Amino acid sequence: MTDIGPVAPTHPASFHTKSFALQHCRNCDVVYLSPLPTSADLKLLYEDSAQFTDDHYTDPAQVEKILDYYGSAVRNLGLAPEPGGRMLEIGAGLAWVSRACKAVDPDIFTLAQDVSSECAKICPWVDRYFVGSLDALPDNAPYQMISLTHVLEHLVDPGAVLKKIGSLLAPGGRIFITAPFRPTGWQPGAGIDAWLRYSYLHVPAHVTYFSRQWFERAGHANGLIVASWDNTHEDDQAFELVLRKA
């Protein structure tokens, strides 16, 4: 691990840990937050805080923009299950991908999962909204599609979660992932300055900034193939990924 530099919490809550740093793994080209947030800090972030009340999620023009993006992704990447198929949205929040799938085919079964109940009653496009951990998910039937949009970067053990969702995916099924990538133009050894200006530097919420190499290795270990990778979104600051189960 190579130190990039110190970062302070960007969230106004009072966290157990006060000082953090970013580190770069040259072997897998991943940037990590150190130390990891505590379980109490995670609860404060995701269960005890309102996350979806500002204009970014409620302004009609912004909602239209978000739905246009996810609708285009579902269509252009061939993500939607066959008619009558099943999809699972993890860390769903407002369940944008479920909504996009329903727009393609109202008969697709949509299951949303989140640890917070904030959005559970305001997503009529979800057939079932489960509030609880992924390990407690009551429906483990195979899914033709699973989505994690701006979710995986929040998890303290993303490898274990990828293994779990791979076990829930039907053969030939697809996992759709979006997440922050890195500041525009940043390269290993360039230091901390670009990160301090990065709109996706959310401390301690964002734990991992992934690379294609990480997904190729973790996917291979779980029978998943990188079918599509695009890290050019938002001026190279975010990526879009599709994993396919062999």
Side-chain angles (χ1 to χ4, degrees):
M1 288 286 188
T2 301
D3 286 337
I4 298 173
V7 289
T10 60
H11 191 283
S14 179
F15 295 107
H16 178 269
T17 305
K18 307 298 182 183
S19 299
F20 296 90
L22 294 181
Q23 297 181 326
H24 177 247
C25 173
R26 292 186 178 274
N27 185 45
C28 59
D29 193 26
V30 169
V31 173
Y32 294 99
L33 182 71
S34 178
L36 295 175
T38 66
S39 58
D41 288 345
L42 293 173
K43 184 176 185 297
L44 182 62
L45 281 166
Y46 306 121
E47 297 180 51
D48 299 339
S49 301
Q51 302 177 66
F52 301 100
T53 56
D54 64 31
D55 289 347
H56 180 76
Y57 301 103
T58 59
D59 177 75
Q62 178 67 10
V63 170
E64 182 179 0
K65 180 180 178 181
I66 292 171
L67 290 176
D68 180 67
Y69 166 69
Y70 287 122
S72 296
V74 166
R75 294 189 301 272
N76 296 337
L77 296 173
L79 297 174
E82 295 295 320
R86 301 165 57 84
M87 68 86 64
L88 168 65
E89 187 163 3
I90 296 171
L94 288 164
W96 301 115
V97 181
S98 296
R99 190 170 178 177
C101 285
K102 282 291 191 183
V104 171
D105 178 4
D107 291 330
I108 292 173
F109 175 82
T110 56
L111 172 62
Q113 175 273 337
D114 205 303
V115 296
S116 168
S117 62
E118 181 180 356
C119 301
K121 295 182 179 179
I122 57 174
C123 299
W125 43 87
V126 173
D127 291 303
R128 182 174 183 183
Y129 204 116
F130 171 72
V131 178
S133 71
L134 184 60
D135 287 337
L137 193 72
D139 184 340
N140 290 324
Y143 300 91
Q144 287 74 47
M145 175 195 174
I146 299 176
S147 72
L148 301 92
T149 57
H150 285 271
V151 172
L152 204 63
E153 70 271 23
H154 296 268
L155 307 179
V156 297
D157 193 350
V161 172
L162 193 64
K163 180 178 180 180
K164 171 67 175 181
I165 61 179
S167 72
L168 299 174
L169 194 66
R174 287 168 168 77
I175 302 170
F176 177 57
I177 297 173
T178 63
F181 183 50
R182 54 204 61 201
T184 303
W186 183 85
Q187 295 294 328
I192 194 66
D193 289 350
W195 287 93
L196 298 179
R197 299 188 298 269
Y198 186 34
S199 63
Y200 283 121
L201 180 68
H202 297 172
V203 181
H206 289 176
V207 176
T208 309
Y209 297 88
F210 296 94
S211 66
R212 177 171 182 154
Q213 293 96 307
W214 188 92
F215 285 104
E216 287 175 340
R217 296 176 184 180
H220 178 75
N222 292 289
L224 302 168
I225 300 166
V226 174
S228 175
W229 166 270
D230 183 355
N231 64 282
T232 64
H233 290 266
E234 302 180 47
D235 296 325
D236 304 336
Q237 295 183 101
F239 73 83
E240 173 187 276
L241 165 76
V242 178
L243 295 169
R244 180 175 56 83
K245 188 169 184 176

